[in-house]
């Protein structure tokens, strides 16, 4: 089964460049602004869009993404509304891959089967669920694969060569390498170490390897893009979004543009990278 | 309805499941650490040297065995209440005196075990979450004893209401980090400890304070606390020549309860009661996950949780910081669904009343957590016959609660 993610990486391979992947929280700072931002991202140069599903207890996130989730929940965001937002996005964009990222409990409570049906119908292409390691694959990973959704696994510096095959076994779409041990918004890893880790993962898989955590500037994005198949930026975009809000935490006339402008300059960084998608497949 | 298992003591399975509950729902970064711990604990468990060390420190450092004390005046008081309402009964009440342990609660039983495992693993830095501060104090204490770095995460709300314990932890050399995120109580302290662990994977051991978290924690913490039930069994045999008829314990995450219950789970003659915190009342803000929640996934395991229809975790409330948690250990969820253990609850007001009653009748100031168990004893004991042997786990002493309860009572007089 070919997904929008597979198609997108095939295109990038032809263009000989790496992917620019953005992360923002669904419903941050409110559902209307959030949709407007997501609609602006492909034009700003985002190749793949990750959308956070807000959760009260984001154990792997730093203060910036925690605050984004809180703003979204305070604005009434729910998983149902997140799926509706993606449906709206899909009305004018049928090619940009959308990956939902978050924690398992809201999906478990929604009901795994119903969620997969609704996610597929909404035009979602992949899932990243932080608290579902391969040991819990029967929960969502296997059912998602059967439903035709990519289940994108996180590999980390603690995932050694012995464990990598298990982590990669049911992964599809791409592999997300978390470049540091830590929470989102932490300091970046140096790009040499990242290059080494990506090389190590690639010895085990032909899937594209994207790298995230700690990438904040166009330069850093270029450095990562030169050593991987894609650079993921989250906290830096959410930081700019948060800085654009008024004293009450509400969106201003600048919010959408400010996020889109940063995305455009980060995309520029990724596109200026020498190298590009090194995946053989 | 599932058929009942042959034994209630055989869980969890190798993937950490108690029926559908438990598991290992953690980020990939932590998964190799969780597997390392599983292996280190499996090795320790069968190592006579580890068992010898445990026995020695239990005796000489913690002060075990803790007494099983016949609470004569509480028994008589409740018999008088029974008689006044025309009932002939009034169970014979025994207190398992975990509050006499070094550091003042049952928490130290578990911390001793985990710190000895951490030493075998060569870990130099220990982190912990705490609600009432009892687990934090126990962790800080054993870190002082073994020369380990100690960082304790504690919700900012709890830092304020359990100040005596914050001072103790700092004196013992621990760094106490007030957690400002979320509801600023135990659940958020747990989140913050997990964030620390995921960042400091190489040198850090996460010492969880209750029978929750990813496998093997619920099993390991239960095993370390089971000394409570093992001793109770032997002490009751010596005192009365037989098994107790009922057991009762308060439940935050459920470690003092599981420690008392586990050795008795297959004794079908023994009635078992867990008491959750009903806070302001079950129709208002409370912390009774089994009574008011449903199965979900949080903090590494599937278990009963308080949450809304979108799967967002709800605020818990209890007067006692140690019970103020919207979840419960997965083995309790399973014992609830199989019906082996009956789960009740007690409100803030009932716990306050029980706190004062035990203090005045027995000269024992209980922790507010333990007072929740006493609150249900006040109802259950008069309904049982006089030859009924009831054991209450007095999980901790109330010194830490004296300022808070003092303020509440003073506020009522004026
Ligand atoms: C004295 C005491 N009892 C009970 C508890 C609740 O924990 P658990 O249910 O794990 O025994 C605490 C927690 O802080 C405590 O300090």
């Amino acid at each position: 089964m070919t997904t929008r993610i597979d198609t997108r990486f095939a295109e990038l391979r032809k263009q000989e460049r790496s992917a620019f992947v953005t992360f923002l929280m669904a419903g941050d700072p409110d559902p209307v602004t959030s949709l407007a931002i997501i609609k602006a991202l492909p034009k700003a140069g985002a190749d793949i869009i990750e959308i956070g599903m807000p959760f009260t207890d984001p154990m792997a996130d730093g203060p910036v993404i925690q605050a984004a989730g809180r703003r979204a929940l305070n604005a009434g965001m729910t998983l149902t509304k997140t799926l509706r937002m993606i449906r709206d996005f899909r009305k004018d964009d049928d090619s940009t891959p959308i990956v939902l990222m978050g924690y398992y409990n809201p999906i478990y409570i929604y009901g795994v089967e119903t969620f997969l049906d609704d996610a597929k119908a909404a035009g979602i292409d992949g899932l990243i669920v932080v608290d579902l390691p391969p040991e819990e694959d029967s929960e969502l990973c296997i059912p998602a694969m059967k439903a035709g959704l990519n289940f994108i696994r996180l590999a980390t510096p603690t995932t050694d060569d012995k464990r990598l095959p298990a982590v990669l076994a049911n992964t599809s779409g791409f592999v997300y390498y978390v470049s540091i041990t830590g929470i989102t918004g932490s300091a970046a890893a140096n790009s040499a170490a990242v290059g080494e880790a990506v090389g190590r993962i690639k010895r085990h898989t032909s899937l594209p390897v994207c790298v995230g955590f700690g990438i904040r500037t166009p330069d850093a994005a270029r450095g990562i893009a030169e050593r991987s198949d894609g650079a993921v930026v989250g906290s830096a975009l959410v930081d700019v979004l948060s800085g654009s809000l008024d004293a009450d935490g509400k969106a201003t006339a600048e919010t959408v543009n400010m996020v889109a402008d940063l995305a455009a300059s980060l995309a520029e960084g990724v596109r200026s990278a020498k190298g590009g998608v090194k995946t053989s497949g | 309805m599932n058929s009942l298992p042959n034994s209630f003591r055989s869980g969890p399975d190798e993937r950490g499941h108690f029926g559908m509950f438990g598991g290992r729902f953690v980020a990939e970064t932590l998964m190799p650490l969780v597997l390392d711990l599983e292996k280190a604990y499996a090795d320790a468990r069968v190592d006579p040297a580890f068992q010898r060390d445990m026995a020695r420190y239990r005796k000489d450092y913690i002060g075990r065995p803790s007494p099983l004390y016949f609470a004569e005046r509480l028994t008589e008081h409740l018999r008088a209440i029974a008689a006044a309402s025309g009932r002939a009964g009034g169970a014979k009440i025994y207190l398992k005196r975990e509050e006499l342990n070094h550091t003042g609660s049952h928490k130290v039983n578990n911390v001793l075990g985990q710190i000895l495992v951490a030493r075998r693993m060569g870990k130099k830095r220990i982190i912990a979450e705490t609600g009432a501060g009892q687990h934090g104090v126990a962790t800080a204490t054993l870190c002082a004893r073994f020369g380990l770095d100690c960082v304790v995460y504690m919700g900012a709300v709890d830092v304020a209401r359990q100040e005596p314990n914050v001072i103790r932890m700092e004196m013992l050399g621990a760094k106490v980090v007030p957690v400002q995120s979320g509801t600023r109580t135990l659940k958020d302290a747990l989140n913050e400890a997990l964030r620390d662990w995921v960042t400091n994977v190489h040198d850090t051991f996460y010492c969880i304070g209750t029978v929750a978290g990813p496998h093997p924690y619920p099993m390991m913490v239960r095993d370390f606390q089971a000394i409570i039930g093992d001793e109770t069994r032997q002490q009751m045999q010596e005192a009365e020549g037989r098994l107790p008829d009922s057991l009762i314990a308060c439940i935050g995450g459920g470690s003092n309860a599981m420690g008392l219950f586990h050795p008795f789970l297959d004794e079908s003659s023994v009635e078992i009661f867990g008491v959750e915190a009903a806070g302001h009342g079950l129709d208002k803000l409370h912390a009774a996950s089994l009574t008011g929640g449903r199965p979900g996934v949080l903090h590494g395991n599937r278990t009963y949780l308080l949450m809304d229809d979108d799967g967002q975790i709800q605020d818990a409330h209890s007067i006692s910081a140690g019970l103020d948690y919207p979840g419960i250990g997965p083995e309790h969820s399973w014992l609830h669904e199989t019906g082996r253990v009956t789960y009740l609850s007690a409100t803030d007001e009932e716990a306050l009343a029980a706190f004062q009653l035990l203090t005045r009748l027995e000269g024992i100031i209980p922790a507010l957590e333990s007072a929740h168990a006493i609150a249900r004893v006040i109802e259950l004991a008069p309904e049982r016959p006089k030859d009924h042997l009831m054991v209450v786990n007095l999980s901790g002493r109330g010194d830490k609660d004296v300022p808070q309860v003092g303020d509440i009572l003073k506020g009522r007089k004026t």
Side-chain angles (χ1 to χ4, degrees):
Chain A
M1 203 169 329
T2 308
T3 66
R4 286 187 195 88
I5 297 174
D6 301 332
T7 307
R8 176 56 43 103
F9 276 106
E11 291 162 9
L12 291 170
R13 217 171 283 128
K14 274 196 212 120
Q15 299 169 28
E16 294 187 347
R17 66 178 185 85
S18 293
F20 172 47
V21 185
T22 57
F23 171 91
L24 285 150
M25 186 65 73
D28 177 25
D30 62 77
V32 173
T33 310
S34 182
L35 178 60
I37 293 171
I38 290 163
K39 283 183 166 176
L41 288 174
K43 218 177 305 146
D47 298 304
I48 296 173
I49 297 176
E50 288 179 10
I51 298 293
M53 298 174 278
F55 183 50
T56 37
D57 293 81
M59 279 99 61
D61 285 302
V64 171
I65 309 258
Q66 287 176 40
R70 219 163 29 243
R71 284 192 296 269
L73 290 173
N74 288 340
M77 207 59 185
T78 60
L79 188 48
T80 305
K81 288 182 186 169
T82 299
L83 295 175
R84 194 181 308 150
M85 184 174 89
I86 305 306
R87 233 174 17 242
D88 289 344
F89 171 86
R90 277 277 171 253
K91 286 177 188 156
D92 342 293
D93 186 324
D94 196 35
S95 59
T96 307
I98 298 273
V99 174
L100 287 186
M101 180 163 184
Y103 298 83
Y104 184 41
N105 198 53
I107 295 172
Y108 179 67
I109 295 309
Y110 195 99
V112 165
E113 293 304 326
T114 324
F115 170 75
L116 291 172
D117 287 349
D118 292 357
K120 186 84 188 154
I124 284 152
D125 305 291
L127 304 173
I128 302 176
V129 184
V130 178
D131 50 355
L132 285 178
E135 281 74 5
E136 302 291 350
D137 267 0
S138 57
E139 294 284 333
L140 180 66
C141 174
I142 308 282
M145 274 168 55
K146 286 194 183 132
L149 287 165
N150 289 136
F151 198 85
I152 294 144
R153 190 93 65 192
L154 305 174
T156 72
T158 58
T159 315
D160 60 15
D161 280 317
K162 215 167 85 231
R163 189 170 161 75
L164 258 177
V167 167
L168 296 171
N170 295 319
T171 302
S172 58
F174 62 94
V175 179
Y176 186 146
Y177 179 63
V178 175
S179 63
I180 50 146
T181 60
I183 51 179
T184 53
S186 310
N190 75 57
S191 44
V194 168
E196 208 171 292
V198 170
R200 185 165 69 84
I201 295 170
K202 281 185 168 293
R203 285 198 290 279
H204 292 267
T205 180
S206 57
L207 287 171
V209 179
C210 296
V211 177
F213 278 46
I215 306 172
R216 306 193 63 85
T217 62
D219 266 359
R222 186 180 61 233
I224 294 295
E226 281 176 354
R227 290 165 178 83
S228 70
D229 302 313
V232 188
V233 180
S235 292
L237 291 165
V238 176
D239 252 340
V240 160
L241 183 157
S242 149
S244 77
L245 304 177
D246 69 17
D248 300 325
K250 297 276 181 293
T252 61
E254 292 309 305
T255 299
V256 176
N257 287 340
M258 282 174 73
V259 176
D261 286 352
L262 176 61
S265 64
L266 289 161
E268 203 51 49
V270 170
R271 279 161 205 256
S272 69
K274 292 184 271 303
V277 176
K278 295 145 204 81
T279 311
S280 45
Chain B
M1 189 68 208
N2 294 337
S3 63
L4 286 182
N6 293 327
S7 168
F8 289 99
R9 290 164 44 82
S10 57
D13 67 16
E14 70 285 354
R15 295 167 61 218
H17 291 148
F18 303 92
M20 70 175 283
F21 301 102
R24 288 174 291 204
F25 296 87
V26 294
E28 172 58 22
T29 315
L30 291 180
M31 200 57 220
L33 283 73
V34 165
L35 293 172
D36 281 352
L37 174 62
E38 187 182 341
K39 185 168 179 314
Y41 176 56
D43 291 347
R45 202 178 188 180
V46 297
D47 181 350
F50 179 79
Q51 295 304 339
R52 260 198 313 276
D53 280 351
M54 285 293 286
R56 180 161 66 91
Y57 289 111
R58 271 176 182 155
K59 176 166 170 289
D60 297 337
Y61 194 72
I62 298 180
R64 301 203 70 89
S66 69
L68 183 68
Y69 163 72
F70 170 41
E72 198 172 351
R73 290 198 69 214
L74 179 63
T75 299
E76 281 168 6
H77 174 79
L78 296 178
R79 282 180 179 166
I81 288 179
S85 62
R87 288 172 292 178
K92 193 167 178 185
I93 299 162
Y94 280 87
L95 305 179
K96 180 60 175 161
R97 303 282 307 271
E98 290 299 303
E99 101 283 6
L100 290 177
N101 294 335
H102 180 40
T103 72
S105 80
H106 70 291
K107 295 284 181 188
V108 71
N109 301 328
N110 162 47
V111 174
L112 170 64
Q114 289 200 50
I115 294 297
L116 292 184
V117 171
R119 275 164 57 84
R120 290 170 70 96
M121 297 176 79
K123 304 285 185 184
K124 299 272 183 275
R125 180 175 178 270
I126 308 295
I127 57 170
E129 84 295 339
T130 197
Q134 287 302 119
H135 175 62
V137 166
T139 306
T141 297
L142 279 151
C143 285
R145 168 62 186 78
F146 288 106
L148 301 165
D149 285 343
C150 181
V151 178
V152 178
Y153 291 93
M154 187 169 187
V157 169
D158 296 337
V159 167
R161 65 178 158 171
Q162 305 276 240
E163 198 194 356
N165 275 344
V166 176
I167 298 170
R168 286 167 83 196
M169 285 185 271
E170 287 174 346
M171 281 182 178
L172 289 159
K175 183 174 167 214
V176 179
V177 182
V179 175
Q180 300 291 352
S181 60
T183 52
R184 298 181 294 153
T185 56
L186 183 51
K187 132 182 123 68
D188 310 287
L190 232 148
N191 288 335
E192 217 52 43
L194 285 167
R195 290 180 186 123
D196 180 314
W197 201 25
V198 91
T199 306
N200 301 294
V201 292
H202 295 296
D203 63 345
T204 297
F205 184 97
Y206 182 16
C207 182
I208 295 188
T210 191
V211 285
H215 178 65
Y217 282 103
M219 170 184 79
M220 179 175 68
V221 176
R222 173 201 74 197
D223 292 349
F224 292 146
Q225 292 291 2
I227 187 74
I228 302 173
D230 288 337
E231 285 176 5
T232 298
R233 194 182 178 107
Q234 195 184 337
Q235 290 165 324
M236 190 58 96
Q237 188 64 38
E238 283 160 16
E240 302 276 356
R242 64 182 184 89
L243 288 171
D245 298 301
S246 61
L247 308 172
I248 182 158
C250 70
I251 297 197
S255 68
N256 86 87
M258 195 54 70
L260 176 64
F261 299 170
H262 196 258
F264 294 99
L265 288 176
D266 285 338
E267 302 292 351
S268 57
S269 68
V270 181
E271 285 183 283
I272 306 183
F273 300 97
V275 184
E276 298 189 289
H280 296 312
L282 291 174
D283 54 343
K284 305 191 182 76
L285 270 180
H286 63 83
S289 329
L290 288 178
T291 315
R294 59 190 165 128
V297 174
L298 182 72
H299 294 154
N301 64 83
R302 182 179 358 249
T303 194
Y304 273 71
L305 299 169
L306 300 178
M307 61 181 136
D308 69 13
D309 291 340
D310 189 42
Q312 305 297 339
I313 307 304
Q314 283 173 327
D315 296 1
H317 164 78
S318 169
I319 188 172
S320 104
L323 307 185
D324 201 344
Y325 180 65
I328 182 167
E331 194 166 7
H332 283 292
S333 290
W334 179 71
L335 290 169
H336 169 65
E337 291 216 334
T338 56
R340 175 62 187 100
V341 176
T342 304
Y343 292 89
L344 309 168
S345 63
T347 63
D348 290 353
E349 282 303 321
E350 290 170 324
L352 262 178
F355 178 98
Q356 295 172 81
L357 186 73
L358 193 73
T359 301
R360 290 292 177 89
L361 286 179
E362 296 287 352
I364 297 172
I365 303 179
L368 274 174
E369 289 79 16
S370 323
H372 285 71
I374 305 290
R376 285 285 73 81
V377 167
I378 292 171
E379 274 186 6
L380 291 172
E383 291 166 3
R384 301 285 182 286
K386 284 184 174 170
D387 60 356
H388 179 107
L389 305 176
M390 181 175 278
V391 177
V392 198
N393 200 3
L394 201 64
S395 57
R397 66 178 89 125
D399 303 28
K400 68 187 176 61
D401 301 311
V402 165
Q404 185 193 359
V405 174
D407 284 350
I408 293 171
L409 298 181
K410 218 180 297 158
R412 289 186 182 171
K413 279 197 201 113
T414 54

